[in-house]
Amino acid sequence: MTPGINAAIKAGIFHKIHEYEHDPANAGYGNEAAEKMAVDPARVFKTLVVSVDGKALAVGIVPVTGMLSMKLMAKAAGGKKATMADPREVQRRTGYVMGGVSPLGQKSRLKTFIDASAESFETIYVSAGRRGLEIELSPADLARLTDGQLVPIQQE
């Protein structure tokens, strides 16, 4: 069990765990997950941690088929500029390694924004807290468990 899975269990929400053999040579974690689970990649979301105005960290969750808009992310987080956060800081603050960062069960709860496209699906997949492990849950439950907001943050 990971802290992300434990958070879903504790909240009593409907979820499914999906495990697959991660290829260490593959750095495209989200696309690999979609392919190995035979799931529409638009339903598999990646968890990206950004630094807003060089001060606070925030989480942006977007489909693996898209890219996070730094401009929209900064605006959603109430800042002017967003950049990808330092991987060491991400690991220290979330407790997860890159490629396995879950939006659930983080050591320090970060402000979270989920791309509004998630609302198109009954369930979506996000990292469960390690490479090769995904959790399937409803976008509404993900938003509730992360205190996240569903907003457009995907690059057009």
Side-chain angles (χ1 to χ4, degrees):
M1 294 290 171
T2 66
I5 294 170
N6 288 338
I9 292 169
K10 184 178 177 187
I13 62 155
F14 171 80
H15 66 282
K16 289 182 187 171
I17 304 304
H18 301 271
E19 195 164 8
Y20 61 91
E21 190 67 36
H22 166 64
D23 175 1
N26 191 338
Y29 306 111
N31 286 318
E32 178 190 30
E35 183 181 310
K36 290 197 172 173
M37 294 186 308
V39 173
D40 176 358
R43 289 182 60 203
V44 179
F45 282 65
K46 53 190 170 186
T47 305
L48 302 171
V49 181
V50 300
S51 174
V52 180
D53 294 335
K55 300 175 188 163
L57 295 185
V59 173
I61 303 171
V62 296
V64 300
T65 55
M67 298 214 23
L68 178 65
S69 164
M70 293 299 175
K71 185 177 181 179
L72 292 174
M73 185 65 190
K75 183 179 176 186
K80 294 185 187 305
K81 184 178 180 182
T83 57
M84 292 306 295
D86 177 273
R88 292 174 306 229
E89 180 71 2
V90 171
Q91 188 168 340
R92 190 177 70 72
R93 294 283 302 277
T94 66
Y96 295 116
V97 297
M98 301 306 285
V101 176
S102 178
L104 305 171
Q106 297 176 353
K107 279 170 66 174
S108 303
R109 183 179 282 192
L110 302 175
K111 227 179 205 185
T112 301
F113 303 92
I114 305 156
D115 187 66
S117 67
E119 293 178 294
S120 306
F121 303 104
E122 196 172 310
T123 61
I124 60 171
Y125 299 76
V126 295
S127 175
R130 75 168 196 259
R131 297 172 188 154
L133 193 64
E134 296 283 308
I135 186 167
E136 178 184 358
L137 70 171
S138 77
D141 283 338
L142 178 60
R144 187 169 55 81
L145 290 180
T146 60
D147 286 330
Q149 297 175 36
L150 287 145
V151 294
I153 54 170
Q154 191 174 184
Q155 223 171 52
E156 295 294 321

